[in-house]
Amino acid sequence: METAIRGRLSLSPNTVFNPKPGEKRSLCRGPCTNRGVLMAISTTGPSKGGGILEKPVIERTTPGRESEFDLRKSRKIAPPYRVMLHNDNYNKREYVVQVLMKVIPGMTLDNAVNIMQEAHYNGLAVVIICAQADAEEHCMQLRGNGLLSSIEPASGGC
């Protein structure tokens, strides 16, 4: 319709069409009652604010590979897990503190000492709460260094 109006009325793409009542070029039949409304012909040129919209990029994933959106979504929804440290009668307290600081990112000396003492006196201590994949990795690293460790869902238990 746009090109039909433009062709019939010989308007340029940047022309604002505002007919006066009774004009032959008017689109109104009879008296034009909405003279205050301006009708702009849209452009497809490179002017500011106008133009053709870019075609959206649709991310295609190969089989066995998740999209970045899916990865972010799964990280947000994944239930948290607790990494548990069990007391043992084999490792010295200083060694347990060193392993905790080496294996757990951001573990401070004070936190490692507190975790070690809790496990020593209570038989069990929470090392970190994180996503299941990270919890499994931390647990395996603790076990690889000779400590007794397990994981459990953070939502269950007290």
Side-chain angles (χ1 to χ4, degrees):
M1 178 171 168
E2 209 173 285
T3 55
I5 293 170
R6 197 179 307 138
R8 220 173 1 151
L9 302 175
S10 66
L11 297 173
S12 73
N14 297 326
T15 304
V16 175
F17 180 67
N18 190 14
K20 295 185 177 38
E23 269 191 31
K24 288 184 179 182
R25 294 184 343 180
S26 174
L27 295 176
C28 301
R29 294 189 181 168
C32 190
T33 57
N34 58 351
R35 280 185 47 181
V37 177
L38 296 177
M39 185 170 110
I41 307 296
S42 67
T43 66
T44 58
S47 65
K48 184 177 179 183
I52 299 173
L53 293 176
E54 296 290 322
K55 184 176 180 180
V57 176
I58 298 173
E59 179 184 358
R60 301 209 189 283
T61 60
T62 57
R65 182 184 159 267
E66 294 183 66
S67 71
E68 184 63 29
F69 174 77
D70 292 337
L71 289 173
R72 279 185 270 133
K73 185 177 174 186
S74 68
R75 281 189 203 124
K76 290 180 183 177
I77 298 173
Y81 275 73
R82 291 186 193 121
V83 177
M84 307 299 294
L85 176 67
H86 301 263
N87 185 41
D88 63 46
N89 295 323
Y90 308 106
N91 295 302
K92 294 194 177 263
R93 296 179 191 188
E94 294 81 13
Y95 178 74
V96 173
V97 170
Q98 288 175 350
V99 171
L100 287 170
M101 289 174 49
K102 180 175 87 172
V103 169
I104 308 299
M107 179 66 67
T108 64
L109 177 63
D110 289 340
N111 286 343
V113 168
N114 289 336
I115 291 168
M116 177 274 302
Q117 287 180 335
E118 185 178 342
H120 180 73
Y121 292 114
N122 298 328
L124 196 64
V126 176
V127 176
I128 190 170
I129 299 175
C130 54
Q132 183 178 3
D134 294 333
E136 290 170 353
E137 179 65 26
H138 295 319
C139 182
M140 292 306 294
Q141 288 178 344
L142 291 171
R143 289 179 181 177
N145 284 283
L147 302 183
L148 297 176
S149 179
S150 63
I151 65 169
E152 65 182 31
S155 57
C158 47

